[in-house]
Amino acid sequence: MSTPWHVLGAGSLGTLWATRLARAGLPVRLILRDIDRLHDYAMAGGLTLVEQGVASSYAIPGETPDSPEPIRRLLVACKAYDAEAAVAGLAHRLAPDAELILLQNGLGSQEAVAARVPQARCISASSTEGAFRDGDWRVVFAGHGYTWLGDAGHPIAPIWLDDLEAAKIPHEWSADILTRLWRKLALNCAINPLTVLHDCRNGGLQQHHCEVATLCGELTELLERCGQPAAADNLQQEVERVIQATAANFSSMYQDVASKRRTEISYLLGHACKVAQRHQLNLPHLKQLQERLTAHLHSLGLPVD
């Protein structure tokens, strides 16, 4: 019998993984916040995946954090700011050989989770897949992408990558996952905050070429100072390519602000500025961007951490 996949976080990516794993016939359990949320989920009868306009439903079992079953494989798909506390609430259920797959944006939350559950193996993931929810318990698969996974402290790939193959989740085991995470953080810092401040889709940033180029220059400097030259390589060209390829899309941070949700600013711009300060690196435009975004969030009554 396959090891069950416990999925923590029923947002877009968590739902996208859960439905594809279930579709492949693999055992999946959805961990929900509390008994009320579990009741709502039971009333809905499962999760729905919408792919190319076709909706398919999957009656994936749901449970609360205090269910008795031990957890051996946990997909942590909640927001970066929720990850540490959510995992801490499940620490008592983790089996001695538990493995956690961390799907958070930015940097900082992965270290916090790993410190909280030192007995578990924590595998970081960086995904370019696009998905959004168009209703409770429903996810629309919006853009095929790729997921890189890796474990900086233990480079041997786990056997459960076969499950991702079966579920048709495009992936690759990366021997240098930190490079992937830093590259993604830099891309997010160069695009997401500007889409919020200029109130535009990603493609709207083509009208702000100089601002994007200046940020990319400072982010390149930061990555090189952090010992991540591969993540810095041709950063501006890639940022411009992503802006063009996703021109019609709204960034995840834009969507969060539009929906009056807390953003992941602390794990994106906040992390970059904190690391720059630690290295005594003066990056005035990056710092100013953080200040502008913080003031904007504050004006909307949204959290700034």
Side-chain angles (χ1 to χ4, degrees), residues 268-283:
L268 297 167
L269 260 185
H271 188 82
C273 290
K274 195 162 56 181
V275 173
Q277 197 174 10
R278 197 186 305 150
H279 285 283
Q280 297 180 313
L281 193 58
N282 182 33
L283 303 176

Side-chain angles (χ1 to χ4, degrees), residues 186-251:
L187 288 167
N188 281 336
C189 285
I191 295 172
N192 292 16
L194 290 179
T195 64
V196 172
L197 293 170
H198 292 298
D199 191 21
C200 66
R201 295 174 192 264
N202 292 356
L205 297 185
Q206 289 166 329
Q207 313 305 313
H208 302 279
H209 177 79
C210 289
E211 199 173 5
V212 171
T214 303
L215 280 176
C216 287
E218 290 192 354
L219 287 163
T220 296
E221 212 181 320
L222 175 65
L223 292 170
E224 286 171 347
R225 182 68 69 90
C226 292
Q228 292 293 336
D233 195 36
N234 290 322
L235 178 64
Q236 187 181 333
Q237 288 91 319
E238 176 142 7
V239 166
E240 288 171 356
R241 184 192 64 74
V242 169
I243 287 170
Q244 198 170 1
T246 62
N249 296 2
F250 287 109
S251 74

Side-chain angles (χ1 to χ4, degrees), residues 47-101:
L47 297 177
T48 299
L49 171 65
V50 182
E51 201 170 1
Q52 294 174 329
V54 179
S56 307
S57 294
Y58 301 92
I60 295 165
E63 60 184 52
T64 58
D66 54 9
S67 293
E69 185 187 349
I71 297 171
R72 289 184 57 208
R73 188 173 303 144
L74 179 66
L75 179 71
V76 183
C78 47
K79 292 283 193 179
Y81 48 73
D82 284 332
E84 183 186 359
V87 168
L90 292 171
H92 66 286
R93 289 181 57 189
L94 296 179
D97 60 346
E99 293 177 298
L100 277 62
I101 301 95

Side-chain angles (χ1 to χ4, degrees), residues 11-12 15 46-50 55 132-140:
S12 51
T15 304
L47 297 177
T48 299
L49 171 65
V50 182
F132 63 91
R133 288 185 296 168
D134 69 345
D136 229 5
W137 318 115
R138 285 172 59 91
V139 66
V140 178

